[in-house]
């Protein structure tokens, strides 16, 4: 049988009795391990060998881990130095000096000392617990075991060492090759090797040798090294996808200021000026400039009238104070519904005639308490549809169509209250891993009290959905802080898939 050079070499080096690891075959054949792996898979395809794969976890010490394995963990050195001094408690400076701790080691020693029960650190002194046994410090013993290549310590200790940056863990695939019966027969009958070329080089081209050589086939199934290039942040990717979906549904994009007058953010939405959401607790007010320069005069007086007297023959206002200065105050928008009021008022792109659909995917800012579902800022998917006759069915149908594009087909609606919509609905989705219902948006049909001053004479249904919550549902992220900010998990961001 005639085989390409690498395959023939691997076949000769393999054994029928023992499973030989790729590294050993590489050493024996003097070929790079990648070449041996490729050749082994091709031989397996010919039925001449059996390749077995096994995931192997390996642990190596980092430079810092190596140093502690050599000189002792800082906290152990601190304990031993403090024990060696003839006092208890010992002045901290003295113990640190005697332990030979320098630079960042001092903080490292102090932060692990009490945790491990070596004693207490208190206002410049160190006490030592006479019962502590540094010789059996599980982390120190683990460092020694890893250095000596002995059996792996428990996962819990490894986790701690990894968090301290003292070890690195990696997974690799360990492969072995064993001759099959056909392989043995082939070897007995005689195998000749044929030179093949794995890569076309400038030299081969220049010399014209490429005409005569035989090229090896590509193995497209071989494992390749993984290269992490840059990629779009999953939130940005989801946002772009949302825009594509909405444009596909016939919506046009709105655009406008992040810092805006309360007039556009609240007053035009028939939000009473003494509403709790309008206190300084909830909004990020601007100090400089603190007020908007101009507001459309006629609209200001129509909005004021709606707040004071209501709209229509049976209308009633809030009977609460309404002050134009208050409406002029600037703040970071707490929702992007300020864009909606601007567009509906005709001041942005002129009068808009029905039927019309608009959206934005933009940032909103709220002074919320940080937790798993809240940050101080988030992307809001704002949208509205203007038409002659709209009902709740239109609203629900639009959401069903929208969320289905992201594979979400089980949204639930809950009646809600907004000063500017009637009826109003909150939207909920089921988290794919925790199974919890999470709020994903708020919506409704705008009230007369809002539409009439803006000069809109037909129905408008509208919503504000949270992009981050949508991303939590599509990626399975359980905490918004995994998506955004300093705690975001890089592995998650590298691997997260966006649904299409
Ligand atoms: N502004 C609302 C919010 O921030 C969302 C919304 C917009 C609700 C339009 C109804 C109509 O929650």
């Amino acid at each position: 049988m005639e085989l390409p050079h690498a395959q023939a070499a691997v076949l000769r080096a393999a054994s029928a009795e023992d499973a030989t690891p790729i590294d050993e075959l590489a050493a024996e054949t003097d070929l790079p391990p990648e070449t041996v792996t490729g050749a082994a898979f091709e031989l397996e395809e010919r039925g001449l060998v059996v390749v077995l794969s096994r995931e192997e976890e390996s642990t190596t010490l980092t430079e810092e881990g190596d140093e502690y394995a050599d000189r002792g963990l800082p906290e152990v050195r601190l304990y031993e130095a403090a024990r060696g001094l003839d006092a208890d408690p010992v002045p901290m400076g003295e113990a640190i000096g005697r332990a030979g701790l320098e630079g960042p080691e001092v903080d490292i020693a102090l932060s692990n000392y009490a945790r491990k029960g070596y004693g207490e650190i208190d206002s410049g002194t160190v006490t030592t617990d006479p019962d502590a046994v540094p010789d059996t410090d599980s982390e120190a013993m683990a460092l020694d075991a890893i250095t000596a290549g002995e059996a792996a310590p428990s996962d819990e200790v490894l986790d701690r060492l990894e968090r301290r940056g003292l070890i690195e863990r990696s997974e690799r695939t360990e492969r072995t090759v064993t001759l099959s019966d056909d392989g043995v027969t082939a070897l007995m009958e005689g195998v000749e090797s044929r030179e093949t070329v794995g890569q076309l080089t400038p030299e081969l081209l220049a010399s014209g040798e490429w005409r005569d050589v035989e090229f090896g086939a590509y193995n497209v199934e071989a494992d390749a090294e993984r290269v992490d290039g840059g990629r779009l942040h999953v939130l940005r990717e989801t946002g772009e996808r949302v825009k594509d979906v909405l444009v596909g549904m016939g919506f046009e994009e709105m655009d406008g200021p992040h810092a805006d007058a309360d007039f556009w953010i609240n007053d035009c939405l028939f939000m009473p000026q003494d509403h709790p959401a309008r206190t300084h607790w909830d909004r990020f007010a601007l100090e400089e400039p603190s007020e908007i320069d101009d507001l459309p005069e006629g609209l200001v007086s129509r909005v004021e009238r709606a707040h004071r007297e209501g709209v229509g023959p049976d209308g009633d206002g809030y009977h609460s104070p309404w002050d134009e200065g208050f409406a002029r105050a600037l703040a970071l928008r707490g929702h992007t519904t300020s864009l909606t009021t601007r567009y509906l008022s005709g001041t942005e792109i002129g009068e808009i005639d029905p039927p019309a659909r608009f959206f934005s995917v933009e940032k909103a800012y709220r002074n919320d308490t940080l937790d798993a579902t809240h940050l101080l800022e988030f992307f809001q998917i704002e949208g509205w549809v203007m038409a002659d006759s709209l009902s709740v069915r239109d609203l629900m149908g639009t959401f069903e169509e929208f969320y289905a594009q992201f594979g979400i087909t089980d949204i639930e609606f809950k009646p809600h209250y907004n000063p500017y919509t009637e009826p109003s609905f909150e939207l909920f989705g089921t988290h794919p891993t925790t199974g919890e219902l999470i709020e994903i948006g708020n919506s409704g049909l705008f009230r007369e009290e809002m539409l009439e001053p803006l000069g809109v004479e037909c129905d408008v249904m509208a919503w504000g959905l949270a992009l981050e919550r949508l991303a939590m549902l599509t990626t399975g992220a359980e905490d918004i802080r995994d998506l955004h900010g300093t705690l975001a998990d890089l592995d998650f961001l590298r691997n997260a898939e966006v649904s299409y």
Side-chain angles (χ1 to χ4, degrees):
M1 174 183 293
E2 203 188 52
L3 289 173
H5 172 68
Q7 289 183 43
V10 171
L11 193 68
R12 285 194 202 104
S15 133
E17 277 92 55
D18 300 315
T20 317
I22 296 286
D23 283 347
E24 254 175 60
L25 292 171
E28 201 159 320
T29 55
D30 211 13
L31 291 169
E34 314 81 86
T35 310
V36 172
T37 308
F41 279 124
E42 270 148 24
L43 287 169
E44 186 173 49
E45 200 119 301
R46 296 177 196 266
L48 301 178
V49 302
V50 176
V51 182
L52 289 179
S53 306
R54 188 160 59 93
E55 294 300 320
E56 181 109 326
E57 186 171 287
S58 75
T59 309
T60 49
L61 297 186
T62 60
E63 211 174 298
E64 193 184 347
D66 212 23
E67 189 179 320
Y68 297 161
D70 201 30
R71 301 181 52 208
L73 287 167
E75 61 275 20
V76 171
R77 278 156 56 200
L78 181 64
Y79 179 79
E80 278 161 356
R83 286 292 281 175
L85 288 167
D86 225 2
D88 199 33
V90 181
M92 182 125 78
E94 230 175 286
I96 287 173
R98 197 184 146 106
L101 296 172
E102 275 170 17
E105 285 182 345
V106 175
D107 277 344
I108 296 170
L110 297 183
S111 63
N112 289 293
Y113 193 80
R115 168 176 78 84
K116 290 191 171 177
Y118 286 137
E120 301 294 330
I121 310 256
D122 191 24
S123 49
T125 62
V126 185
T127 65
T128 53
D129 180 339
D131 297 331
V133 193
D135 283 348
T136 60
D137 186 295
S138 59
E139 293 173 23
M141 286 167 63
L143 289 183
D144 289 343
I146 295 166
T147 317
E150 286 164 11
S154 75
D155 270 347
E156 193 197 325
V157 178
L158 288 179
D159 283 346
R160 259 186 280 134
L161 291 177
E162 192 170 29
R163 248 179 282 131
R164 287 183 72 168
L166 305 185
I167 59 164
E168 261 163 22
R169 285 195 273 185
S170 56
E171 283 217 331
R172 54 183 231 112
T173 314
E174 173 83 23
R175 293 200 173 84
T176 59
V177 179
T178 316
L179 286 180
S180 67
D181 290 348
D182 284 355
V184 175
T185 313
L187 278 173
M188 288 197 315
E189 288 173 5
V191 169
E192 271 162 51
S193 64
R194 172 164 38 97
E195 226 30 80
T196 59
V197 172
Q199 206 172 13
L200 183 61
T201 60
E203 291 74 30
L204 283 174
L205 286 173
S207 66
E209 232 184 297
W210 63 271
R211 274 186 247 272
D212 307 316
V213 296
E214 190 182 331
F215 287 99
Y218 279 120
N219 176 2
V220 291
E221 281 164 18
D223 272 353
E225 196 182 332
R226 179 187 157 138
V227 181
D228 281 317
R231 65 167 278 188
L232 273 188
H233 192 282
V234 50
L235 205 54
R236 179 70 60 191
E237 238 173 318
T238 311
E240 294 302 317
R241 173 73 185 136
V242 166
K243 292 184 187 182
D244 285 350
V245 166
L246 288 170
V247 168
M249 288 169 69
F251 285 74
E252 289 172 65
E253 189 165 6
M254 303 185 286
D255 181 27
H258 289 239
D260 209 349
D262 256 9
F263 181 74
W264 296 113
I265 307 172
N266 287 308
D267 293 285
C268 283
L269 284 161
F270 197 54
M271 289 276 281
Q273 291 197 335
D274 58 1
H275 190 281
R278 301 190 62 172
T279 63
H280 66 281
W281 298 110
D282 278 304
R283 56 199 274 284
F284 293 112
L286 256 62
E287 203 168 66
E288 186 60 48
S290 61
E291 280 202 356
I292 198 163
D293 285 340
D294 44 44
L295 289 176
E297 255 174 53
L299 179 58
V300 171
S301 52
R302 287 196 303 278
V303 167
E304 172 171 5
R305 192 173 31 77
H307 279 246
R308 290 189 189 283
E309 298 162 18
V311 161
D314 303 322
D316 199 3
Y318 286 124
H319 305 285
S320 64
W322 196 89
D323 174 54
E324 191 178 325
F326 195 75
R328 285 180 173 274
L330 286 169
L332 292 179
R333 59 188 180 208
H335 51 198
T336 44
T337 319
S338 51
L339 302 181
T340 295
T341 53
R342 279 175 168 274
Y343 274 68
L344 285 177
S345 73
T347 56
E348 301 303 309
I349 55 167
E351 287 299 321
I352 299 173
D353 292 322
R357 303 177 179 89
F358 280 83
F359 80 96
S360 65
V361 183
E362 287 289 345
K363 262 194 185 161
Y365 307 84
R366 286 185 197 172
N367 198 5
D368 277 325
T369 305
L370 295 183
D371 65 21
T373 48
H374 293 87
L375 291 173
L376 297 186
E377 51 184 83
F378 67 101
F379 282 97
Q380 194 162 42
I381 307 168
E382 181 85 16
W384 51 268
V385 176
M386 179 196 265
D388 277 332
S389 170
L390 290 169
S391 74
V392 171
R393 291 307 320 165
D394 296 304
L395 192 61
M396 289 179 169
T398 305
F399 291 137
E400 267 157 23
E401 183 177 342
F402 173 74
Y403 282 105
Q405 306 281 330
F406 298 88
I408 300 167
T409 50
D410 56 356
I411 42 171
E412 294 183 39
F413 301 89
K414 187 177 112 187
H416 184 59
Y417 172 77
N418 293 310
Y420 41 95
T421 48
E422 180 60 34
S424 316
F425 296 92
E426 271 183 345
L427 275 69
F428 289 80
T430 306
H431 192 280
T433 54
T434 66
E436 254 173 80
L437 271 186
I438 62 171
E439 190 202 323
I440 53 175
N442 176 16
S443 66
L445 269 74
F446 283 140
R447 297 170 73 104
E448 255 326 277
E449 286 87 343
M450 165 172 169
L451 293 177
E452 197 249 24
L454 289 168
V456 177
E457 279 164 9
C458 57
D459 290 342
V460 179
M461 63 185 199
W463 53 85
L465 317 173
L467 180 67
E468 284 78 354
R469 305 277 177 88
L470 171 62
M472 287 170 79
L473 295 186
T474 56
T475 62
E478 286 174 30
D479 193 312
I480 200 166
R481 291 163 293 192
D482 290 337
L483 290 172
H484 255 304
T486 50
L487 300 176
D489 177 358
L490 286 183
D491 267 342
F492 171 76
L493 293 180
R494 278 197 186 109
N495 298 319
E497 286 175 20
V498 174
S499 52
Y500 282 86

